[in-house]
Amino acid sequence: MADFFQEIKEKLRDANLSIILPEGNDERIITAALKLQEEGIIHPIIIGNKEEIPSVLTVINPQNYEEMDKLVSAFVERRKGKVTEEQAREILKDVNYFGTMLVYMEQADGLVSGAAHTTAETVRPALQIIKTKPGISKTSGAFIMVKDDVRYVFADCAITIAPTSEDLAEIAVESAKTAAAFGIKPKVAMLSFSTKGSAQSVETEKVVGATELAKQMDPGIIIEGELQFDASIVPAIAAKKAPDAVVKGDATVFVFPSLEAGNIGYKIAQRLGGFEAIGPILQGLNAPVNDLSRGCSADDVYKLAYITAAQALI
């Protein structure tokens, strides 16, 4: 794990990226920000009351932010008439909305929140303001699974409950990009309970269709589906079940057919397999925003700040 983050740090060392941490009244956030500030690789920007935060940190207070009028106008325009100027000014008192607008206005490169807010409170502003990339209809949640020198990407394990073929295709393409960004050569397995037609149902056909759509979205992607997990990860089984597959039991990116399967799958790998699960990393947004668990530690905040900064380079 130390090597994993050291590689990220080296990649970011000269990138001069800044990350918004909106929850400046949380001691875990301050502890992480001080560590980031000391290292000097990522520049943390805290949202909060300057008098209550160590002076070495950069602090922005929404109550006296000089560019608030500009933020309000940009927010009204971004919401396309769904809010008035008065409503926008009230909404931007929320630290997550305020912080997300700073990212949108390119005052920072990404945002990490969720230590004291729900996932919805963190993600909703991102979907309304930053929005998804062109051609991407939904965001998705990936985990980087790390054990010693072994690294995989699992998705979607956090956001899309019942993905369509189109959703799965988007998840596959974005997960391949996530893998590449973190030093993992992407070889994508579209998982199912069937391997190359060994069973046929609406569920398996959805995965087959998603595989073809992903190839159209990204002709250069290395992807195979539908595959059972054993055929995706064990070369000898792949040779028997899918001898003509381009993924020959050496998959590094695993796209699950449903959130139910993905969430169960990553937790099995984590609890029984001894993998560390880093994430969820939100994929498909125009700028990175990531969500912490409310039970997180200062170290979790610190690590997710680096993950978020690395996403900004994708």
Side-chain angles (χ1 to χ4, degrees), residues 47 60 62 65 68 71 92 94-102:
I47 296 176
I60 298 177
Y65 183 56
M68 181 59 83
L71 250 62
L92 288 174
D94 181 298
V95 293
N96 283 316
Y97 273 96
F98 180 77
T100 303
M101 276 302 298
L102 292 178

Side-chain angles (χ1 to χ4, degrees), residues 237-302:
I237 295 176
K240 291 179 181 179
K241 290 187 174 184
D244 298 324
V246 295
V247 176
K248 301 180 182 300
D250 56 353
T252 57
V253 177
F254 302 88
V255 176
F256 292 83
S258 68
L259 179 59
E260 184 176 50
N263 191 267
I264 292 168
Y266 99 80
K267 288 182 183 295
I268 288 174
Q270 181 184 37
R271 301 302 179 183
L272 294 183
F275 279 81
E276 181 164 351
I278 301 169
I281 299 166
L282 298 185
Q283 303 181 136
L285 294 169
N286 281 307
V289 170
N290 283 315
D291 178 41
L292 293 158
S293 163
R294 279 175 285 175
C296 68
S297 65
D299 192 53
D300 293 330
V301 180
Y302 165 83

Side-chain angles (χ1 to χ4, degrees), residues 192-201 204 208 226-228 241:
S192 180
F193 59 83
S194 167
T195 296
K196 308 303 286 182
S198 63
Q200 287 189 319
S201 71
T204 62
V208 172
E226 84 284 21
L227 294 175
Q228 291 165 284
K241 290 187 174 184

Side-chain angles (χ1 to χ4, degrees), residues 9-303:
K9 289 178 183 181
E10 290 304 318
K11 183 184 293 187
L12 294 172
R13 194 167 296 280
D14 298 318
N16 193 31
L17 299 179
S18 58
I19 298 296
I20 298 284
L21 300 171
E23 299 163 314
N25 59 347
D26 191 298
E27 192 60 38
R28 295 166 294 177
I29 300 297
I30 300 304
T31 300
L34 287 169
K35 187 174 180 180
L36 292 168
Q37 181 76 12
E38 182 180 358
E39 288 180 340
I41 298 172
I42 295 174
H43 177 55
I45 300 175
I46 307 297
I47 296 176
N49 188 338
K50 197 167 188 176
E51 286 71 32
E52 299 172 357
I53 295 170
S55 58
V56 295
L57 297 173
T58 300
V59 182
I60 298 177
N61 189 340
Q63 300 299 322
N64 54 24
Y65 183 56
E66 293 181 356
E67 301 292 322
M68 181 59 83
D69 289 344
K70 185 182 294 185
L71 250 62
V72 168
S73 296
F75 183 70
V76 171
E77 181 180 354
R78 188 62 168 165
R79 296 295 289 134
K80 299 185 184 299
K82 294 180 180 178
V83 297
T84 65
E85 182 176 318
E86 183 179 356
Q87 289 170 330
R89 201 170 293 277
E90 187 66 26
I91 290 169
L92 288 174
K93 291 179 181 178
D94 181 298
V95 293
N96 283 316
Y97 273 96
F98 180 77
T100 303
M101 276 302 298
L102 292 178
V103 176
Y104 174 66
M105 299 292 285
E106 299 183 348
Q107 300 303 303
D109 299 288
L111 177 144
V112 172
S113 188
H117 292 87
T118 66
T119 294
E121 290 169 332
T122 298
V123 174
R124 188 181 299 114
L127 295 177
Q128 291 180 356
I129 298 167
I130 293 173
K131 302 187 179 181
T132 54
K133 299 173 185 176
I136 300 296
S137 62
K138 297 178 181 177
T139 187
S140 57
F143 281 85
I144 299 176
M145 309 299 293
V146 180
K147 183 179 181 181
D148 300 324
D149 293 331
V150 179
R151 302 172 191 175
Y152 300 121
V153 172
F154 284 15
D156 181 348
C157 303
I159 303 292
T160 309
I161 295 174
T164 64
S165 287
E166 290 77 10
D167 295 335
L168 288 174
E170 290 181 1
I171 292 166
V173 170
E174 290 302 305
S175 298
K177 293 176 184 176
T178 296
F182 293 101
I184 303 167
K185 184 177 180 180
K187 293 186 177 183
V188 183
M190 305 295 281
L191 298 178
S192 180
F193 59 83
S194 167
T195 296
K196 308 303 286 182
S198 63
Q200 287 189 319
S201 71
V202 172
E203 290 81 7
T204 62
E205 289 303 314
K206 180 179 75 170
V207 177
V208 172
T211 305
E212 294 308 311
L213 286 171
K215 292 176 183 177
Q216 294 171 24
M217 291 177 64
D218 181 2
I221 194 171
I222 300 173
I223 187 169
E224 194 65 72
E226 84 284 21
L227 294 175
Q228 291 165 284
F229 187 80
D230 56 357
S232 72
I233 198 67
V234 181
I237 295 176
K240 291 179 181 179
K241 290 187 174 184
D244 298 324
V246 295
V247 176
K248 301 180 182 300
D250 56 353
T252 57
V253 177
F254 302 88
V255 176
F256 292 83
S258 68
L259 179 59
E260 184 176 50
N263 191 267
I264 292 168
Y266 99 80
K267 288 182 183 295
I268 288 174
Q270 181 184 37
R271 301 302 179 183
L272 294 183
F275 279 81
E276 181 164 351
I278 301 169
I281 299 166
L282 298 185
Q283 303 181 136
L285 294 169
N286 281 307
V289 170
N290 283 315
D291 178 41
L292 293 158
S293 163
R294 279 175 285 175
C296 68
S297 65
D299 192 53
D300 293 330
V301 180
Y302 165 83
K303 288 177 178 177

